[in-house]
C-alpha cells in the first residue's frame, strides 16, 4: 500500500482554478464516499480551504491516476487541466507534506494558525465517513502531535497572522482612521470571526455582520458592539460600508456587479475597499471593474503575507527540524504496524495448519488407529507442513546467493542451541 497526497494550492493554481476544485461542506460526505469507493483506494481524507484542496489516500497500484481522474469527474474538469497544476507526494514525502501543512509552513501566511483547525475538521469528517483506517489514523495523530510541539516550542505561533489579518492590514494602508470607516463582513465562520476581531482592535466601531442565519451573525457581532443582518439585507448595508470583507462557503457569488452599481449611486460614488477571501469567490470579479471599487482576492494579499514570512523564517527552520523528527516517528510506527500484520498472517497460517493436522489425527483416533502412531504421524505431518515453504525459499535463496535472506532466516529460525558451527 502507498500513502498518497495529491492537491492543488495557492502556489500551483490561481483562484479561478482553485475555486473549481474546492469542496463545499455539503459535498464532503458524498466526495469521501465516492473516493473511498474507488477500487484503488483503501482510505481517504479531504482537506479543502480557500488556498488548497488536498486528498490524502492509502492506495494500491495506479492509485494516483485513479484519484486524479475521480477529482476531474467530480468537479467536471478535464484531467489534463488538473495535471498542469496538481502536485503529488508519496509515502514519507506525503507524511512530511501533511505535517508542513498542519503547522503552517506551506500556507500563504507562514505559520498561520487556522489551517490546523481546518485539518482537524477534515480528520473528523473523514472518520465519520469511514474514510480512516490504521494508516491515515496513525498519520493524522502523529501530525497533530508535531503541530502541538511546533506551537509550544517555537515562535511560529506568536502574534498570529492569518489571511484575515493580512486583509485588515491591507485596509489600514488605505484608511487612516478606522473609527470613521463602517465595515460590512459577509459570513460568520472562523475567518470572518478573525477579521471582525482584528478590525475591532484596529479601531472600527461600526461593524455589520451578514450571514445566512441572523442568530449566528449576532453571536459574532454582539461581543464587538456590531449589528447582525441576513444576506438579503446586504444591498442596503453596502450603501454605508466603506470596507467589505467576505468569506462564506457559498457555491455561487453573493455580491454581483449590478448590486454594487446600485449601492455606489446611493453612496454618491464614495470608494469602497473590498476583499474576497472565499474560494469559490463570493464577489463577482466584474465588481472590480467599477471605478470606485478597490477589490482584492486572497491572491492579492501576497505582499502583506511576504512581510510576515520574513519575520517567521527562524521559527520555521526550528519547525522543520521538529517535523523531521515527527516523520521519523511515523516511519517507525508504520514499520511496527507492517510487522504486526505479517506476524498475524504467519500465526493465522500456522494455526490453520495446526487445526487441519489436529482434525485429521482425531479422525484417525476415532477410527481406532494406534494412538502412538497417530501422534507420531501428527508430529511428522505438522513439521513438514510448517517447514515446507521456508525450505523451498531457502533453497532458492542459496541457489541465487541471497546471503542477506539466508542470514535473516538463520536469525529467525535457529536458536543458539542449533548453531551449526558447534
Amino acid at each position: 500500500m502507498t500513502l498518497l497526497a495529491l492537491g492543488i494550492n495557492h502556489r500551483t493554481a490561481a483562484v479561478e482554478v482553485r475555486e473549481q476544485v474546492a469542496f463545499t461542506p455539503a459535498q464532503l460526505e458524498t466526495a469521501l464516499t465516492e473516493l473511498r469507493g474507488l477500487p484503488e483506494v483503501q482510505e481517504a481524507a479531504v482537506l479543502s480551504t480557500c488556498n488548497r484542496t488536498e486528498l490524502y489516500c492509502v492506495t494500491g497500484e495506479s492509485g494516483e491516476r485513479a484519484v486524479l481522474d475521480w477529482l476531474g469527474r467530480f468537479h467536471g474538469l478535464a484531467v489534463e487541466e488538473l495535471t498542469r497544476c496538481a502536485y503529488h507526494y508519496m509515502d514519507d514525502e506525503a507524511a512530511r507534506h501533511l505535517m508542513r501543512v498542519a503547522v503552517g509552513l506551506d500556507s500563504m501566511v507562514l505559520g498561520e494558525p487556522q489551517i490546523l483547525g481546518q485539518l482537524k475538521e477534515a480528520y473528523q469528517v473523514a472518520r465519520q465517513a469511514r474514510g480512516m483506517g490504521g494508516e491515515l489514523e496513525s498519520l493524522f495523530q502523529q501530525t497533530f502531535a508535531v503541530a502541538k510541539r511546533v506551537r509550544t516550542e517555537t515562535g511560529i505561533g506568536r502574534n498570529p497572522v492569518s489571511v484575515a489579518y493580512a486583509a485588515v492590514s491591507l485596509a489600514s494602508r488605505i484608511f487612516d482612521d478606522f473609527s470613521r470607516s463602517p465595515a460590512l463582513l459577509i459570513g460568520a465562520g472562523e475567518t470572518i470571526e478573525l477579521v471582525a476581531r482584528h478590525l475591532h482592535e484596529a479601531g472600527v466601531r461600526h461593524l455589520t455582520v451578514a450571514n445566512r442565519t441572523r442568530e449566528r451573525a449576532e453571536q459574532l457581532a454582539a461581543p464587538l458592539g456590531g449589528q447582525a443582518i441576513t444576506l438579503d439585507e446586504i444591498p442596503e448595508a453596502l450603501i454605508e460600508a466603506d470596507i467589505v470583507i467576505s468569506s462564506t462557503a457559498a457555491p455561487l457569488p453573493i455580491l454581483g456587479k449590478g448590486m454594487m452599481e446600485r449601492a455606489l449611486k446611493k453612496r454618491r460614488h464614495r470608494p469602497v475597499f473590498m476583499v474576497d477571501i472565499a474560494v469559490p469567490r463570493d464577489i463577482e470579479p466584474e465588481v472590480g471593474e467599477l471605478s470606485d471599487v478597490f477589490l482584492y482576492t486572497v491572491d492579492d494579499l501576497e505582499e502583506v503575507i511576504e512581510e510576515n514570512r520574513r519575520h517567521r523564517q527562524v521559527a520555521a527552520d526550528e519547525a522543520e527540524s521538529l517535523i523531521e523528527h515527527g516523520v521519523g516517528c511515523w516511519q517507525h510506527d508504520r514499520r511496527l504496524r507492517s510487522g504486526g500484520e505479517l506476524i498475524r498472517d504467519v500465526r493465522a497460517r500456522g494455526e490453520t495448519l495446526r487445526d487441519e493436522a489436529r482434525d485429521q489425527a482425531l479422525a484417525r483416533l476415532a477410527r481406532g488407529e494406534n494412538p502412538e502412531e497417530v501422534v507420531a504421524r501428527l508430529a511428522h505431518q505438522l513439521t513438514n507442513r510448517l517447514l515446507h515453504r521456508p525450505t523451498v525459499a531457502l533453497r532458492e535463496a542459496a541457489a541465487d546467493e541471497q546471503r542477506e535472506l539466508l542470514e535473516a532466516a538463520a536469525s529467525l529460525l535457529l536458536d543458539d542451541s542449533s548453531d551449526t558451527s558447534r
Side-chain angles (χ1 to χ4, degrees), residues 21-73:
V21 297
F23 292 89
T24 66
Q27 292 176 316
L28 279 176
E29 185 175 352
T30 300
L32 282 164
T33 300
E34 289 187 14
L35 186 55
R36 179 65 181 80
L38 297 177
E40 299 86 353
V41 176
Q42 282 72 51
E43 303 176 35
V46 176
L47 173 64
S48 186
T49 73
C50 62
N51 283 327
R52 70 181 65 246
T53 292
E54 294 184 339
L55 312 176
Y56 292 89
C57 305
V58 176
T59 70
E61 293 183 11
S62 72
E64 179 189 350
R65 182 66 189 188
V67 171
L68 192 63
D69 287 346
W70 171 83
L71 183 62
R73 289 197 304 273

Side-chain angles (χ1 to χ4, degrees), residues 340-353:
E341 292 172 1
L342 177 60
I343 290 170
R344 285 192 295 273
D345 291 344
V346 169
R347 291 189 66 87
R349 178 175 175 272
E351 289 167 359
T352 297
L353 295 176

Side-chain angles (χ1 to χ4, degrees), residues 225-354:
Q227 63 173 329
I229 63 173
T230 64
L231 298 182
D232 293 337
E233 299 173 87
I234 288 177
E236 290 299 318
L238 285 172
I239 298 172
E240 300 298 329
D242 294 334
I243 300 170
V244 179
I245 300 178
S246 185
S247 178
T248 76
L252 297 173
I254 293 172
L255 200 160
K257 186 177 181 181
M259 184 191 299
M260 198 63 218
E261 283 178 324
R262 290 188 290 272
L264 286 172
K265 289 180 181 178
K266 295 181 180 180
R267 289 173 57 85
R268 297 182 180 179
H269 295 279
R270 294 197 322 273
V272 183
F273 170 81
M274 309 181 78
V275 180
D276 188 352
I277 303 176
V279 177
R281 285 173 287 187
D282 287 336
I283 303 173
E284 289 181 351
E286 292 77 13
V287 171
E289 299 171 1
L290 300 174
S291 59
D292 298 304
V293 172
F294 299 90
L295 174 61
Y296 299 87
T297 68
V298 288
D299 290 352
D300 297 317
L301 303 178
E302 188 65 41
E303 180 183 342
V304 177
I305 289 162
E306 184 57 35
E307 183 177 344
N308 165 70
R309 187 181 299 276
R310 289 193 294 271
H311 291 308
R312 295 197 173 189
Q313 192 56 55
V314 173
D317 293 340
E318 296 172 352
E320 293 282 13
S321 177
L322 292 174
I323 286 172
E324 287 307 310
H325 180 266
V327 171
C329 291
W330 173 78
Q331 291 170 329
H332 176 71
D333 291 344
R334 195 184 199 197
R335 288 192 293 268
L336 288 179
R337 288 196 308 277
S338 176
E341 292 172 1
L342 177 60
I343 290 170
R344 285 192 295 273
D345 291 344
V346 169
R347 291 189 66 87
R349 178 175 175 272
E351 289 167 359
T352 297
L353 295 176
R354 176 202 64 195

